[in-house]
Amino acid sequence: AQEMGISVTSIPTNTTYYLMAGQYLPSRPTFDANNPFLKKEVRKALNLAVNREEIKNAFFSENDEIMIGPFMHPTMKPTGLPAEEWQEVYSRWEQWFQENYQYDPEEAQRLLAEAGYPNGFTLTLYSFDRPAAPQAREMTEALALDWERIGLQVDLVNLEFQAVRGMYRQRAEENMGVAVWLGTSRWDPLVWNRAQ
C-alpha cells in the first residue's frame, strides 16, 4: 500500500466560523423579541470577547490565517466582480474589522451592560465534530471560556451535527432561541474566484 502524504496549499481552501442563531424575523411564529442576539451591542460584545489569535495558535497551523469573515480573503473575489473592485471592497472591510473587532474583553463587558445585561445571560453553545474541522469540539470549549470570562453563562451541549441541522431546519424556538453553532465551508468556485 502506498503511504498518503500531507500537502499544504498556498491559498485558502476552507473556513471555520461560528454563527449566532435565533429567529430574527418578527413574522416567524417562533420569533422571540427578548432574544439578546437581536441587540447589536450583544453581538459585538460576543465578537470582542473572542481571542482569535489565541485560538488560532492553539488549534491551527502557522500557515492558517485569521479572516475578517467567512469568504473574506484578499485572494478571493465574488464571481463577476473585477479583481480591482474586490481589492477596494476588501481593503475597506479589513480596515473596518481592525478598527472595530479586535480582542477587547473589557469593552465587551461594557457593551453587555449597555445592552441591559450587566450580569450576562445564558446561551446555548452546541459542540459537535465537522469533517472539515477535526478540532471543532476543542475550539468550541475555548469559545465558551472566552465568553464566560465576560460574565456569560454558557450551556455547552455535546451532540452530533445532524441533530443541530435538524434544529435549525425546524426553526424551533426552544432549540434556537439563543444558540451558537460552528460552520465550515470550502471555497465554491461557482461563487468565488481567485482575485488576480
Side-chain angles (χ1 to χ4, degrees):
Q2 190 175 9
E3 292 185 11
M4 297 178 69
I6 297 176
S7 297
V8 178
T9 67
S10 59
I11 52 178
T13 58
N14 190 59
T15 62
T16 304
Y17 51 91
Y18 285 87
L19 300 170
M20 297 176 201
Q23 299 303 316
Y24 306 126
L25 299 176
S27 59
R28 297 281 189 200
T30 53
F31 174 76
D32 179 5
N34 295 316
N35 186 336
F37 290 178
L38 291 172
K39 297 188 176 184
K40 181 179 179 180
E41 296 86 359
V42 169
R43 298 191 303 271
K44 185 168 184 178
L46 268 65
N47 269 285
L48 293 174
V50 178
N51 191 334
R52 291 171 176 82
E53 193 68 36
E54 192 173 78
I55 290 174
K56 175 194 173 297
N57 293 338
F59 300 110
F60 294 92
S61 79
E62 60 186 25
N63 297 318
D64 291 312
E65 301 176 61
I66 295 173
M67 298 172 67
I68 62 175
F71 309 111
M72 293 292 285
H73 193 272
T75 65
M76 306 299 297
K77 71 176 184 67
T79 297
L81 185 70
E84 60 275 7
E85 284 187 38
W86 171 244
Q87 293 300 326
E88 182 182 335
V89 169
Y90 180 85
S91 295
R92 286 199 312 266
W93 275 97
E94 183 178 37
Q95 181 179 350
W96 177 84
F97 179 81
Q98 296 297 338
E99 291 172 356
N100 293 282
Y101 282 95
Q102 294 306 296
Y103 178 57
D104 191 343
E106 291 182 3
E107 175 65 4
Q109 289 176 311
R110 189 194 70 75
L111 286 168
L112 282 179
E114 182 181 315
Y117 302 100
N119 301 314
F121 56 87
T122 299
L123 63 85
T124 302
L125 183 56
Y126 294 112
S127 177
F128 47 87
D129 292 322
R130 297 297 304 267
Q135 73 282 30
R137 288 188 189 271
E138 290 80 7
M139 280 181 58
T140 304
E141 290 173 10
L143 186 65
L145 290 173
D146 280 346
W147 286 343
E148 287 173 348
R149 288 188 189 107
I150 64 166
L152 298 180
Q153 297 79 49
V154 180
D155 181 13
L156 194 62
V157 178
N158 288 293
L159 72 176
E160 297 299 318
F161 178 64
Q162 290 81 355
V164 177
R165 179 178 288 278
M167 290 178 191
Y168 70 70
R169 286 176 65 91
Q170 294 167 17
R171 297 189 176 101
E173 207 299 311
E174 63 270 22
N175 295 324
M176 307 308 289
V178 185
V180 178
W181 72 84
L182 172 133
T184 62
S185 294
R186 291 181 175 84
W187 300 109
D188 184 347
L190 297 176
V191 180
W192 296 88
N193 288 324
R194 300 292 170 192
Q196 302 297 322

